[in-house]
Amino acid sequence: MVVRRRHTFTRFFFGTIFLIGLFGIAHWAIAQNNSAQTPSKIAVLLDIKGGIGPATQDFIGRGIKKAAALQAGAIILRIDTPGGLSKSMRYIIKDILSSPVPVISYVAPSGARAASAGTYILYASHVAAMAPGTNLGAATPVAVGTPGGKKPAEKGKKAAKKSSASEQKALNDARAYIRSLAQLRKRNVKWAEKAVTEAASLSAREALRKNVINFMAVNISAVLKKANGMKVSVRGQPMVLHTAGLAVQQITPGWRTKFLAVITDPSVAYILLMIGFYGIFFEFMNPGFIVPGVVGAIALLIALYSFALLPINYVGLALIVLGIAFIVVEAFLPSFGALGIGGVISFVIGSIMLLKTETIGYIIPMYLIIIVAVVTAAFFLLVLNMALRSRRRPVVSGREAVVGQRGKVTMGDQRMWVRIEGERWQCRSDMPLEAGQDVVVKRVDGLTLIVEPITANQKD
């Protein structure tokens, strides 16, 4: 009877746990279903300011993922940019097109612009809006022509004759890319191509009239209100926006984005490259210092990582490395200027060629190249001068090198000792000596130094 009761209790216990588990799973599934059906209460705000580069690409990509995790009702990209790198722009557009959350691009505040890469991002977004007093356009590829640099490309056979094959390819690729985005979002295709081929620009009102944007809005609240009820296609599926009354939650750049923004600045990356080369060089020149080698290795790795994210010309980088190599060889095998001068020339030319872009904010200033070149040349002259002095100086080695050196007498073990350049030698003198007395080495007798005390006149 006792055994049967135990079996009954065990069955009841495990049965109860099983039922509780089923109830918990069912409750979780219902909660998940309700949350999926319940519209989100927030809209995520992300700012695109300044030049678009690797840091902006990383920030927007992470922001879209976070908005998806928060089940946001919409993502608002507040844009104010002169343009940026094509590679980073394309990654941002890929994130927008694959986003499960509808993206609203909003050029703001008044006075802001969505030029060049910003125009492509505006066309790629599910909804495009602009504040009064803003503009967009000038989307010609930098390799072909920029508003502040070369003339924009022209149409027809005349342009084909003037531009190179690579420029024509870049132009056609950019035109096809923005045309596909305009067709996807059902916006003005002809003007999109004109923005690429002729670097055309539009004000906010003109953009609205030409169906380049969906609407104008004075602030974020107006954007959410006007976007409410719009039908968009998100990853190929139709969706109706429910944005009215959404609370705006802004996501700001974290430490990773800020660090990436600093190291991918071409000037900073260039300086880090120089610190890396010279740190390692000084470590080879003075083995055991450690600090220059550690700092140089870290700076060099960070610089190489930065340049991997930037559109660099590897021929320019190779010329910089070659120039520094020539200077290093000059330090170890002096050629009386031939290698050093060639190294400086190679270094300057490589620095000018380093970045293959003229995008605003992603070029190395000429003044910085000149400063670094002057410092490098001064370093080269210093090394050459040291090399010449070392050749003129007579070489003295062995025990004879201590002759003429000065030191102080110490007493110990009933013997007299003298310390010369950090070494302790046994000494003797024909004249009486006292501890702490200054002496000069006259000659060497085996392992003993023959010294004489220094008089007051000799000290002066």
Side-chain angles (χ1 to χ4, degrees):
M1 295 294 293
V2 176
V3 174
R4 184 176 296 176
R5 287 179 180 176
R6 287 180 179 175
H7 282 302
T8 303
F9 176 77
T10 302
R11 291 173 183 170
F12 175 77
F13 177 75
F14 283 106
T16 304
I17 292 178
F18 179 73
L19 290 174
I20 292 174
L22 285 178
F23 177 77
I25 293 173
H27 179 73
W28 176 83
I30 293 171
Q32 291 294 317
N33 187 47
N34 289 338
S35 64
Q37 294 177 354
T38 303
S40 175
K41 300 297 182 182
I42 65 168
V44 171
L45 175 63
L46 305 172
D47 278 323
I48 297 179
K49 291 183 179 179
I52 295 174
T56 310
Q57 168 197 326
D58 179 79
F59 171 60
I60 298 301
R62 290 176 175 272
I64 289 176
K65 289 179 180 178
K66 189 170 183 180
L70 293 172
Q71 297 183 344
I75 298 171
I76 302 174
L77 299 182
R78 186 163 53 189
I79 301 174
D80 182 10
T81 177
L85 302 179
S86 174
K87 182 179 178 181
S88 300
M89 173 201 74
R90 286 179 179 262
Y91 275 113
I92 292 174
I93 290 176
K94 286 180 182 178
D95 289 331
I96 292 174
L97 297 181
S98 62
S99 171
V101 182
V103 177
I104 304 172
S105 284
Y106 177 46
V107 186
S110 294
R113 56 177 169 168
S116 192
T119 302
Y120 290 84
I121 293 174
L122 199 71
Y123 262 97
S125 302
H126 302 91
V127 178
M130 298 177 70
T134 58
N135 66 283
L136 81 162
T140 304
V142 174
V144 177
T146 55
K150 302 177 183 179
K151 293 181 181 180
E154 301 173 5
K155 293 182 179 180
K157 295 181 179 180
K158 188 177 179 181
K161 292 179 181 179
K162 286 185 177 181
S163 59
S164 66
S166 60
E167 290 175 344
Q168 200 64 33
K169 287 179 182 178
L171 180 65
N172 291 335
D173 178 68
R175 183 165 53 191
Y177 189 52
I178 200 168
R179 183 171 63 243
S180 67
L181 296 175
Q183 291 170 346
L184 177 66
R185 301 306 182 198
K186 298 180 181 179
R187 301 199 190 112
N188 194 321
V189 176
K190 289 185 178 180
W191 186 87
E193 293 185 1
K194 191 176 180 181
V196 173
T197 58
E198 301 179 17
S201 297
L202 288 177
S203 66
R205 293 192 181 277
E206 292 171 336
L208 179 61
R209 188 170 64 250
K210 291 180 179 291
N211 189 33
V212 174
I213 61 174
N214 297 103
F215 55 82
M216 291 176 59
V218 294
N219 52 38
I220 299 294
S221 298
V223 170
L224 295 174
K225 185 177 180 181
K226 291 187 176 183
N228 187 57
M230 289 184 62
K231 295 180 180 180
V232 296
S233 175
V234 178
R235 294 199 291 190
Q237 300 297 322
M239 178 184 291
V240 178
L241 298 182
H242 301 282
T243 56
L246 291 181
V248 178
Q249 179 177 329
Q250 184 172 7
I251 297 177
T252 56
W255 69 267
R256 172 191 169 94
T257 302
K258 292 178 180 178
F259 177 72
L260 201 59
V262 172
I263 66 172
T264 53
D265 182 288
S267 299
V268 175
Y270 183 64
I271 293 173
L272 286 174
L273 184 68
M274 296 301 102
I275 293 174
F277 279 130
Y278 284 118
I280 293 175
F281 172 75
F282 280 122
E283 184 64 33
F284 278 118
M285 290 287 290
N286 303 279
F289 269 52
I290 299 177
V291 173
V294 171
V295 173
I298 294 174
L300 184 61
L301 289 175
I302 294 176
L304 293 177
Y305 174 74
S306 302
F307 284 127
L309 299 175
L310 296 171
I312 68 168
N313 186 332
Y314 288 98
V315 174
L317 182 60
L319 285 172
I320 291 176
V321 174
L322 182 64
I324 294 176
F326 281 165
I327 295 174
V328 172
V329 173
E330 180 70 43
F332 288 100
L333 301 173
S335 62
F336 298 97
L339 288 174
I341 294 173
V344 172
I345 294 173
S346 175
F347 176 83
V348 173
I349 295 175
S351 300
I352 295 173
M353 294 173 56
L354 184 59
L355 289 179
K356 56 179 181 181
T357 180
E358 296 178 7
T359 302
I360 298 174
Y362 287 94
I363 57 175
I364 300 176
M366 183 55 67
Y367 72 84
L368 179 61
I369 295 176
I370 295 173
I371 291 173
V372 175
V374 169
V375 172
T376 303
F379 173 76
F380 153 67
L381 292 175
L382 176 64
V383 170
L384 180 61
N385 185 44
M386 292 173 61
L388 291 173
R389 286 186 179 182
S390 67
R391 289 196 172 191
R392 293 170 182 169
R393 188 183 302 127
V395 178
V396 180
S397 61
R399 294 179 299 171
E400 289 75 11
V402 299
V403 176
Q405 299 290 331
R406 298 186 178 191
K408 286 186 179 292
V409 175
T410 60
M411 306 297 291
D413 299 332
Q414 297 181 348
R415 299 179 183 179
M416 290 186 297
W417 300 83
V418 63
R419 187 171 293 278
I420 304 292
E421 293 185 348
E423 296 181 347
R424 194 164 175 257
W425 293 75
Q426 187 176 349
C427 68
R428 72 170 185 267
S429 175
D430 296 334
M431 302 177 68
L433 299 175
E434 298 179 357
Q437 189 173 5
D438 294 324
V439 294
V440 62
V441 180
K442 304 304 292 183
R443 67 180 187 277
V444 181
D445 183 9
L447 296 178
T448 303
L449 303 182
I450 309 303
V451 299
E452 286 184 0
I454 298 175
T455 62
N457 293 332
Q458 289 176 323
K459 289 182 178 180
D460 295 336

